[in-house]
Amino acid sequence: MLDGNKVLFSGMQATGNLTLGNYLGALKNWVELSTQYMCFYSVVDMHSITVRQDPAELRKRARRLMAIYIAAGIDPEKACLYYQSHVTGHAELAWILNCFTYMGELNRMTQFKDKSAKHADNINAGLFTYPVLMAADILLYQADVVPVGIDQKQHLELTRDLAIRFNNIYGDVFTVPEAYIPKVGAKIMSLQDPTKKMSKSDENPNASIYLMDDADTVARKCKRAVTDSEGIIAYREEQPGVSNLLDIYSACVGKTPEEAVKEFEGQGYGALKTAVAESVNAILTPLQTRVAEIEKDKDWLDQRIKENAEKATYYSTKTLRKVQKKVGFPVRPR
Ligand code: TYM
């Protein structure tokens, strides 16, 4: 809660190309929820450097991500869209929260285990304490709700534990946030291996639909999507490929997977794949046009970035000063 308003916070990494999973699991819901909350959406570039990045590329992708947020329907004159690295409070609160987080808690994080297996030559301390920075992001703005895909649920639980732990020691300092995980689209799977999450970092480009893929590429990827030999369109665990296509379709058109199954009764996988591609393109084509328009208007975007960084700094500093006082840091002379 801030200034009497319920608060929404969420963020995305500008690492790799954004996928349809990022859109359906998170961004789409950000837009839908944005009218009900005071919203903060961050491009979390500080999280990105836990894995080695090319600096020019990171900067470019971060700007593109900002344009995608806006193109998806978030109004930067109402919601606060900003780069995490422009607001110093994130790092400052993360340090304090580090001192309230146990090694055992971080050791249990599945994303840390996955990422350290993938980047065995660079298991840095930032990768380990990544969930603490994420908790700082959320708690700085006193967020009530955090819309994310299912893969972030464990990080959200840690955030809640840290907020409760801190509040138990120092009184009511932080709002304890709730995760908002959508019923459909919370875990979009790889098109090539439907037992794996669709991911920006997948080496096989056919495994993911990227938000900037053109219509033909989307159609080709859908056509090649791995299914099974059952030949029946059903939504069940034994058919992960077909179920994933149904998930994508229903999330895109706003139906339940059960309704989608009925719609495709008696039809083959080819028909389903064509319909999936069409439903995806109906979202991506206009999104891409908007991204191009937004990127053209450089001054306008720069101005929004500047104003919103100031707004985020204002609210985050309020929480930070309270926390600093609670833990015993000397008051700043006026
Ligand atoms: P990131 O950048 O990996 O993903 C951004 C959002 O997309 C969701 N997502 C998916 N949803 C459905 N299916 C998929 N295949 C899929 N892949 C990704 C993620 O759940 C996420 O919501 N640590 C976060 C970023 C972060 C953050 C935060 C999020 C940093 N601080 C504070 C919320 C609040 C991350 O790496 O997300």
Side-chain angles (χ1 to χ4, degrees), residues 9-15 18-27 30 42 44 47 65 84 111 115 130 133-135 137-138 146-153 155-156 159 182 185-190 196-200:
F9 183 93
S10 203
M12 266 188 211
Q13 291 199 63
T15 337
L18 244 63
T19 72
L20 186 65
N22 296 127
Y23 181 83
L24 296 178
L27 195 50
W30 296 8
S42 187
V44 292
H47 278 93
L65 183 51
Q84 185 186 31
Q111 200 163 76
K115 285 205 177 170
Y130 176 116
L133 179 58
M134 182 162 158
D137 300 341
I138 297 167
V146 184
V148 283
I150 231 163
D151 62 338
Q152 298 300 318
K153 191 167 174 238
H155 291 160
L156 250 296
T159 303
K187 193 172 188 190
I188 301 298
M189 309 307 274
S190 153
K196 253 177 43 187
K197 185 183 82 165
M198 183 181 283
S199 158
K200 293 180 247 189

Side-chain angles (χ1 to χ4, degrees), residues 107-124:
N107 261 323
R108 282 199 291 278
M109 295 290 129
T110 51
Q111 200 163 76
F112 170 67
K113 289 187 214 165
D114 292 349
K115 285 205 177 170
S116 43
K118 231 178 177 171
H119 303 278
D121 56 338
N122 183 21
I123 306 178
N124 59 71

Side-chain angles (χ1 to χ4, degrees), residues 50-170:
T50 52
V51 173
R52 208 63 81 224
Q53 302 291 334
D54 174 74
E57 190 64 22
L58 178 61
R59 225 182 322 273
K60 207 170 94 193
R61 287 188 197 281
R63 176 115 180 160
R64 164 61 60 88
L65 183 51
M66 193 65 92
I68 289 176
Y69 285 1
I70 300 168
I74 294 164
D75 179 355
E77 296 184 10
K78 294 198 181 110
C80 184
L81 311 189
Y82 70 98
Y83 295 120
Q84 185 186 31
S85 62
H86 284 186
V87 180
T88 57
H90 291 254
E92 293 180 76
L93 183 61
W95 172 254
I96 296 173
L97 293 178
N98 265 319
C99 302
F100 292 82
T101 311
Y102 304 119
M103 301 284 281
E105 289 176 307
L106 295 178
N107 261 323
R108 282 199 291 278
M109 295 290 129
T110 51
Q111 200 163 76
F112 170 67
K113 289 187 214 165
D114 292 349
K115 285 205 177 170
S116 43
K118 231 178 177 171
H119 303 278
D121 56 338
N122 183 21
I123 306 178
N124 59 71
L127 198 60
F128 189 62
T129 60
Y130 176 116
V132 184
L133 179 58
M134 182 162 158
D137 300 341
I138 297 167
L139 299 181
L140 264 183
Y141 300 94
Q142 307 290 355
D144 296 273
V145 68
V146 184
V148 283
I150 231 163
D151 62 338
Q152 298 300 318
K153 191 167 174 238
Q154 199 186 26
H155 291 160
L156 250 296
E157 278 158 11
L158 177 72
T159 303
R160 288 172 57 87
D161 289 346
L162 292 180
I164 293 167
R165 186 172 305 154
F166 200 92
N167 287 351
N168 282 341
I169 305 172
Y170 299 106

Side-chain angles (χ1 to χ4, degrees), residues 258-271:
E258 291 71 25
E259 285 167 342
V261 168
K262 273 207 192 106
E263 194 181 323
F264 291 105
E265 212 175 83
Q267 300 193 52
Y269 292 168

